[in-house]
Each structure stands twice: as structure tokens, then as C-alpha cells.
Amino acid sequence: MNPDTRRRVALQVGRVAGSAAALWTANTFPAISSAGSLRAALAPTTTGIGRPGQVAFTFDDGPDPSSTPQFLDLLARRGVRATFFLLGFMVRRAPGLAADIAAAGHDIGVHGDLHRNLLFRDPVSTVADITAAHELIAETTGTRPRWYRPPYGILTTSAVLAAARLGMRPVLWSSWGRDWTARATPESVRRTVGRRLTGGATILLHDADCTSAPGSWRSTLGALPALLDDSAEQGWQPVTLTDHLTPLRPTATRERSLEPGRDRVGDRPEAGL
Ligand SMILES: [Zn+2]
């Protein structure tokens, strides 16, 4: 981290830590990583449910030179853009690869600097971790990440506040492949994702095995073509989280059709927004 970045991080930590510390007793915001329906009920906006004609493929824990390039090649061959939630410590090892992901048109999210369960981190170190990762990833990729996903999907109050201060929105997932286990196969990943796969889904997968069983990414990579085929069969277009979750801008026609006194257009409900 260069001195400028270190100063910005210190400033950010100071700003957020005050309010976060006051909320320390509330810091054990439910660990909502595993129970899908519970997660949806408690925090519908964080499950990443987007437009029904789309699905968002998301990949955590990279970048890793031994696996991520193969995901990038496959996605490029299929003409698909996805979202990569990067880890700061992995970006430091492969900054060029992090830049390549962004240059290929994929969305960039922050997964943290270190991959640690936030339930066991105090507010100051939580804010420092997220801020450092955000600054590093922004500098390395040339994009300001808009999405934040905590390790293990466990959000705390401090993390929510830190992400908001940095202009990031927390996004978990609505479907996963359990692709991190040693027993995962391409078939099991496809089947497990399919159990909760609907139009509008955000799918959690991993392009690196730094926190998973060694080599488990091969099952993910093996499942990906079939998952893309399954989505295409249903008519669901794979998109980035920005395309999935950003509200559509009103068209000029709709603006002209505004009634006097109305100051908003595009009031149609967007699931999960
Ligand atoms: Zn992770």
C-alpha cells in the first residue's frame, strides 16, 4: 500500500470506526450465509435477486494465476460477462491478472483483504480490512468496486457501514454450487446450483481454491458450460451485477409521459432493489 493509500485508509477507518464502535453491540447482525430462505427473509436486498430474464454468475476468492485465466478464457469464448469478488491478498500476488479481469469487461467486487470471518473481528479491523481491499482493488483494476461480499457471506454492522461509506452495496447470493468441497464434481455443482436457480438469480461460485479444497475450482470450471446452457435454455441472459441490479433509467418517452406533479418515473417494482 503506498503512503497516500495508507493515509486514506487511516482516515476512512477513523470516520467509520466511531459509528461502528457505537454499534458494536449490534455487530452480530445475523450470520445469514447458509439458510437461503432465512437470508431472503432477513435481507432481501442482499441476496442479489435481479431482473427475471437474467442471471448473474459471480466468482469469489481470486484472482489466482493457476485457475482464473481458464475461467476468463471460457467466459470470453461464450461471450459472457460475470462478476469477480477479489481478495486483497490475492490481488497483491497477481495484480496484472486482477487488471485483466476488469479489462475483459467483468464486474469487480470486493471480498475483503484477508478471508476472515467478520464475526471474530472487531469494528476497527473490519473497517480497515474492507477499506484497504477497496483501495487496492480500485488502484489495481482502475475501477471503483460497487459490490461487497463478506467472507463466508457473514455480514456485520461494521462491514455494512464500511461498505456504504466506500460506495459499495453488499450482495450475497440466491444460489450456490457448494463447489468448495473436495467431493464436488462438475455434475454436483450443476445440480446444486440448479436447485435454487431461477430467473433473477445471483449464483455463487469460486474461481480459486485458496479457501477451498485444493483443485476444487476444476469442478466449477467443468460445470460452467452446462450452467450457461441451462440458463440459455430458460431464456435467462447471464449478466454482470451492475446490469443485474442497477435500476433501469427511464426512457425519454416515459419522461415525456409524466403527469404534472409527478417527479418520479420508472416506478415499476424491481425485485430485490
Ligand atoms: Zn470466499
Side-chain angles (χ1 to χ4, degrees), residues 244-258:
H244 203 40
L245 301 178
T246 305
L248 291 170
R249 296 194 97 96
T251 64
T253 309
R254 293 177 78 190
E255 275 172 356
R256 279 199 300 274
S257 71
L258 271 178

Side-chain angles (χ1 to χ4, degrees), residues 60-61 111 115 206 211:
D60 287 10
D61 292 356
H111 196 34
H115 200 280
H206 295 80
T211 70

Side-chain angles (χ1 to χ4, degrees), residues 128-154:
D129 181 282
I130 296 169
T131 305
H134 183 270
E135 294 290 342
L136 172 69
I137 292 167
E139 280 180 15
T140 308
T141 63
T143 66
R144 301 290 298 175
R146 297 179 56 198
W147 315 107
Y148 170 66
R149 176 178 288 160
Y152 310 107
I154 294 173

Side-chain angles (χ1 to χ4, degrees), residues 87-242:
L87 285 165
F89 84 90
M90 296 294 279
V91 171
R92 278 190 287 279
R93 292 178 187 172
L97 181 54
D100 288 346
I101 297 171
H106 301 295
D107 246 6
I108 301 295
V110 169
H111 196 34
D113 194 55
L114 304 177
H115 200 280
R116 293 203 185 142
N117 186 331
L118 297 183
L119 282 181
F120 304 115
R121 303 198 80 174
D122 62 68
V124 171
S125 60
T126 294
V127 173
D129 181 282
I130 296 169
T131 305
H134 183 270
E135 294 290 342
L136 172 69
I137 292 167
E139 280 180 15
T140 308
T141 63
T143 66
R144 301 290 298 175
R146 297 179 56 198
W147 315 107
Y148 170 66
R149 176 178 288 160
Y152 310 107
I154 294 173
L155 270 176
T156 63
T157 306
S158 310
V160 171
L161 288 171
R165 292 265 186 163
L166 293 163
M168 294 191 293
R169 177 175 151 186
V171 178
L172 301 181
W173 56 86
S174 61
S175 176
W176 66 15
R178 287 195 174 274
D179 58 343
W180 57 85
T181 71
R183 285 182 302 176
T185 64
E187 293 72 28
S188 77
V189 172
R190 179 188 187 184
R191 196 170 53 243
T192 308
V193 168
R195 283 191 196 124
R196 289 189 177 277
L197 191 56
T198 59
T202 288
I203 304 166
L204 166 67
L205 296 168
H206 295 80
D207 64 304
D209 60 5
C210 64
T211 70
S212 307
S216 53
W217 59 267
R218 293 181 191 282
S219 298
T220 314
L221 188 68
L224 198 49
L227 286 169
L228 291 169
D229 291 343
D230 294 344
S231 300
E233 258 177 45
Q234 297 290 333
W236 302 327
Q237 188 191 359
V239 295
T240 62
L241 281 182
T242 295

